């Protein structure tokens, strides 16, 4: 409610902010992350096995990579409004398709499509909102838009386990109906075009490589792989490997969503105090500890802390990396650099999902995945700190060295 009150906007602009919130709720919160809460039911009903669940997650992330890479092209060819409408409806249809386990290949296709539409919504919806807002309101409005991801995760964690008792197909159909409703509700809200600095990335000059850029990219890539166990296996790990049951797993996923809803704003305050560089390093360090915690101390308090912290830092690390790009590159280069970093993140996350599935197949224990994820995040922490110190020495930094 505080976020709404702080946005002193005309009604049409506030409605557009809410549409952006609905788009990320649909494409990312429901279309992408609700899958984790449905994995135990799909396995329990014999739709697939644990290893296949990892491959489905990989198909979704590959689709997300395709959608993120092609979103600007889609908007230019169809215009912005039709592109967003198609992506919203496409998400709803992909969720409905998941209610029909015709074959494993069918489910792979459905999850791939959900990834594509989610990537398009991520690339286009937030810029569509921010480009229409006065500059002084963009930070608060952007935080509200990205809260849609956490709200979707929270919804899936609370509601899906209850629906799963009626059947996994019913749970998928419920998500599809909600996504369709949000598509209809936002149908007339989207602007017809996207102009200005927040628009889709056009073909143009390459981004000059700064000495600090590979370190930042590698640190962000470690994050992409490191939290895969939580976004794919967390509910199943709590429900089956720890023996807590599906309801307990769903509760932990809802806590993950609460963290995701609160994380960007909270880390924004931290970044305002300590700078993006230090905050990014801190976020990766805390995230590494939170991923390792349930393996080192599989107790209820540890599970709660892990759910909330990993949930909070999942969207927050993206926000901090974006902020770091913004403060270190001149305006004409920022968006293209961020687009490339986002595509690299999606690619590494897809590879991470496949590698985690293979690791599970070899080890047979999900705890090994969390150890691997925590190790990747620890490596990312070291790389992020090396990046920060390189910039602090003033080597080719175009902004504050923090």
């Amino acid at each position: 409610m505080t976020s709404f009150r702080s946005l002193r906007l005309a009604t049409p602009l506030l409605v557009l902010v809410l549409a952006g919130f609905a788009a990320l709720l649909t494409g990312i919160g429901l279309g992408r992350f609700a899958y984790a809460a449905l994995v135990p039911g799909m396995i329990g009903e014999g739709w697939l096995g644990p290893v296949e669940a990892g491959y489905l997650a990989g198909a979704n992330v590959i689709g997300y990579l395709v959608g993120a890479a092609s979103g600007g092209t889609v908007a230019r060819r169809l215009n912005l409004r039709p592109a967003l409408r198609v992506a919203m409806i496409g998400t709803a249809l992909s969720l409905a398709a998941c209610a029909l386990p015709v074959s494993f290949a069918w489910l792979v296709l459905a999850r791939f499509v959900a990834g594509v539409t989610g990537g398009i919504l991520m690339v286009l919806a937030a810029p569509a909102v921010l480009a229409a807002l006065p500059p002084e309101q963009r930070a608060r409005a952007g935080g509200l838009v990205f809260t849609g991801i956490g709200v979707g995760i929270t919804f899936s964690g609370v509601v899906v386990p209850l629906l799963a008792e009626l059947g996994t197909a019913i749970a998928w159909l419920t998500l599809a109906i909600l996504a369709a409703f949000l598509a209809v509700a936002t149908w007339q809200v989207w602007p017809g075009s996207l102009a200005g600095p927040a628009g889709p990335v056009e073909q143009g000059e390459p981004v000059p490589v700064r000495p600090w850029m590979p370190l930042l990219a590698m640190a962000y890539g470690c994050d992409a792989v490191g939290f895969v166990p939580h976004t794919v296996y967390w509910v199943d790990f709590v429900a089956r490997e720890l023996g807590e049951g599906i309801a307990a797993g769903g509760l932990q996923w809802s806590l993950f969503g609460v963290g995701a809803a609160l994380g960007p704003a909270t880390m924004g305050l931290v970044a305002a105090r300590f700078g993006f560089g230090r905050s990014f390093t801190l976020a990766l360090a805390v995230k590494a500890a939170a991923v390792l915690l349930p393996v080192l101390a599989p107790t209820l308090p540890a599970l709660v802390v892990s759910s909330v912290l990993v949930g909070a830092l999942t969207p927050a690390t993206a926000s901090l990396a974006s902020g770091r790009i913004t403060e270190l590159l001149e305006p004409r280069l920022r968006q293209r650099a961020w687009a490339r970093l986002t595509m690299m993140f999606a690619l590494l996350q897809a590879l991470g999902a496949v590698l985690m599935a293979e690791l599970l197949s070899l080890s047979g224990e999900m705890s090994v995945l969390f150890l691997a994820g925590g190790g990747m995040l620890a490596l990312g922490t070291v790389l992020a700190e090396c990046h920060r110190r390189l910039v602090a020495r003033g080597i080719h930094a175009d902004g504050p060295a923090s």
Side-chain angles (χ1 to χ4, degrees):
M1 297 302 296
T2 301
S3 297
F4 280 107
R5 286 196 296 267
S6 65
L7 287 172
R8 301 167 187 252
L9 299 172
T11 299
L13 291 180
L14 184 57
V15 170
L16 181 59
V17 170
L18 293 175
F21 170 91
L24 294 193
L25 168 59
T26 300
I28 311 300
L30 301 181
R32 188 175 181 193
F33 286 123
Y35 169 72
L38 287 157
V39 167
M42 297 175 75
I43 294 175
E45 294 182 22
W47 291 19
L48 43 77
V51 175
E52 291 175 316
Y55 286 120
L56 281 186
N60 183 255
V61 179
I62 291 171
Y64 181 77
L65 171 64
V66 173
S70 62
T73 301
V74 172
R76 288 192 295 273
R77 292 186 177 180
L78 297 182
N79 290 328
L80 179 66
R81 184 182 293 125
L84 286 167
R85 288 173 174 175
V86 167
M88 293 282 279
I89 290 296
T91 300
L93 292 175
S94 70
L95 292 171
C98 287
L100 302 171
V102 177
S103 66
F104 178 66
W106 172 266
L107 293 175
V108 168
L109 177 61
R111 295 307 297 154
F112 175 79
V113 171
V116 173
T117 56
I120 291 173
L121 289 171
M122 175 64 88
V123 169
L124 297 182
V129 174
L130 298 181
L133 297 176
E136 66 274 10
Q137 292 289 351
R138 287 175 181 169
R140 293 188 182 93
L144 181 58
V145 168
F146 278 90
T147 299
I149 298 174
V151 170
I153 295 171
T154 305
F155 174 85
S156 66
V158 173
V159 176
V160 168
L162 299 176
L163 293 172
E165 296 180 4
L166 302 176
T168 303
I170 291 178
W172 278 116
L173 286 174
T174 301
L175 294 177
I177 291 169
L178 176 58
F181 169 79
L182 292 172
V184 172
T186 59
W187 196 260
Q188 297 295 336
V189 176
W190 302 113
S193 61
L194 182 59
V201 178
E202 300 284 350
Q203 296 296 323
E205 63 181 299
V207 179
V209 177
R210 307 290 197 264
W212 52 263
M213 288 181 71
L215 286 171
L216 179 62
M218 287 188 291
Y220 195 47
C222 287
D223 179 47
V225 178
F227 75 96
V228 166
H230 266 71
T231 56
V232 179
Y233 297 104
W234 183 233
V235 175
D236 199 34
F237 175 74
V238 173
R240 295 195 306 120
E241 187 147 317
L242 297 183
E244 299 294 334
I246 292 179
L251 175 61
Q252 293 301 325
W253 189 245
S254 68
L255 292 173
F256 183 100
V258 170
L262 299 176
T266 301
M267 288 307 297
L269 296 175
V270 174
R273 174 67 177 84
F274 298 104
F276 282 109
R278 288 189 177 89
S279 299
F280 185 58
T281 300
L282 175 63
L284 291 179
V286 173
K287 199 171 183 180
V291 170
L292 291 170
L293 186 59
V295 177
L296 302 178
T299 63
L300 180 59
L303 296 178
V304 171
V305 170
S306 182
S307 293
V308 173
L309 287 182
V310 178
L313 295 172
T314 291
T317 47
S319 176
L320 293 172
S322 175
R324 192 62 165 157
I325 286 288
T326 299
E327 73 174 357
L328 292 179
L329 286 177
E330 57 267 29
R332 66 189 178 87
L333 299 177
R334 291 170 185 167
Q335 187 180 16
R336 192 168 181 82
W338 176 239
R340 291 183 175 181
L341 205 61
T342 299
M343 287 185 283
M344 179 214 68
F345 184 92
L347 176 60
L348 289 178
Q349 195 175 47
L351 292 175
V354 173
L355 290 175
M356 290 293 177
E358 290 295 331
L359 185 58
L360 178 60
S361 178
L362 292 173
S363 67
E365 296 183 5
M366 293 184 198
S367 58
V368 175
L369 308 184
F370 292 90
L371 291 173
M376 288 298 296
L377 285 161
L379 175 60
T381 301
V382 174
L383 293 170
E385 180 60 14
C386 291
H387 153 76
R388 187 191 71 80
R389 293 189 180 193
L390 181 64
V391 173
R393 292 207 303 267
I395 302 177
H396 295 281
D398 299 316
S402 58

